[in-house]
Amino acid sequence: MSYDPTGHLLLTPVDREAPLRVRRLRQLGVGERPDPVFDEFADRLAEVTGAPYTMVNFIDEHRQFFAGLHTPDGVRPGADLGAAAAGAGAVSRYMDRDHGYCPHVVVRRKALVLEDVCDYPRFAGNPVVDEIGIRSYLGAPLIDRTGVALGTICVVDTEPRPWGRAGLETIKAMAAELVDQIHRREDGLI
């Protein structure tokens, strides 16, 4: 883990599994371009949780890529748009690895529930709070049959949300469902 020398806040954790993850993502053929199946999954995740933003997120050494994306206005930018091109407050398919909470979920390999990120000093200083206005996060890792944490599924809101135990169980169950779908795709069953 690394620390901000001025505030001693926890920053993005060191991810020693990233090279292995990148190899596995390439083997599976995911994580480099938008995928309609993952977009549909993100839409269903939004419907189930009531969250305005939902993502199927694959993470490499330097960035996060939302292969599945749901936004409240239904806009899904293409893979050619970077975070900088999206502008302040806009949603892109890409995000720097040091932004957001998914890198923590991948390294910890555990679901993360932040009903109000401002209640957690180590997470309140994340750039997504000021730059995008994120106030609530719920995410779970996508751990495949080889043991690699491929990425996450997550839901975020610009308002605090009482996710509770039900939210935690929902996000974990949906992550397991998506991993199963990825395995069936790899096996040629879908």
Side-chain angles (χ1 to χ4, degrees), residues 83-84 86-91 94-96 98-101 124-134 158:
V91 177
Y94 294 103
M95 184 181 288
D96 288 339
D98 63 347
H99 284 56
Y101 310 106
N126 194 287
V128 298
V129 175
D130 293 332
E131 294 175 18
I132 303 172
I134 300 302
T158 56

Side-chain angles (χ1 to χ4, degrees), residues 104-163:
H104 294 272
V105 171
V106 166
V107 171
R108 291 174 22 154
R109 303 171 67 87
K110 293 182 183 176
L112 178 63
V113 179
L114 301 172
E115 294 182 343
D116 185 342
V117 299
C118 294
D119 289 343
Y120 303 88
R122 68 186 244 182
F123 293 119
N126 194 287
V128 298
V129 175
D130 293 332
E131 294 175 18
I132 303 172
I134 300 302
R135 285 292 300 273
S136 184
Y137 173 90
L138 177 63
L142 299 170
I143 301 174
D144 85 337
R145 61 177 142 216
T146 67
V148 173
L150 303 172
T152 68
I153 59 169
C154 70
V155 299
V156 297
D157 201 336
T158 56
E159 300 292 329
R161 294 281 300 260
W163 303 114

Side-chain angles (χ1 to χ4, degrees), residues 12-19 21 59-61 97 103 106-107 149:
T12 305
V14 175
D15 183 0
R16 299 190 198 297
E17 193 175 72
R21 177 180 317 106
I59 302 172
D60 68 19
E61 295 101 326
R97 192 180 164 282
V106 166
V107 171

Side-chain angles (χ1 to χ4, degrees), residues 22-44:
V22 170
R23 283 193 301 276
R24 181 67 176 139
L25 290 171
R26 285 189 184 132
Q27 182 182 30
L28 292 168
V30 299
E32 295 182 324
R33 61 192 161 280
D35 188 317
V37 171
F38 294 146
D39 281 339
E40 289 171 18
F41 188 89
D43 289 342
R44 196 161 66 78

Side-chain angles (χ1 to χ4, degrees), residues 40-54 70-71 155 174:
E40 289 171 18
F41 188 89
D43 289 342
R44 196 161 66 78
L45 185 57
E47 185 178 316
V48 167
T49 63
Y53 300 94
T54 61
H70 171 87
T71 64
V155 299
M174 292 199 71

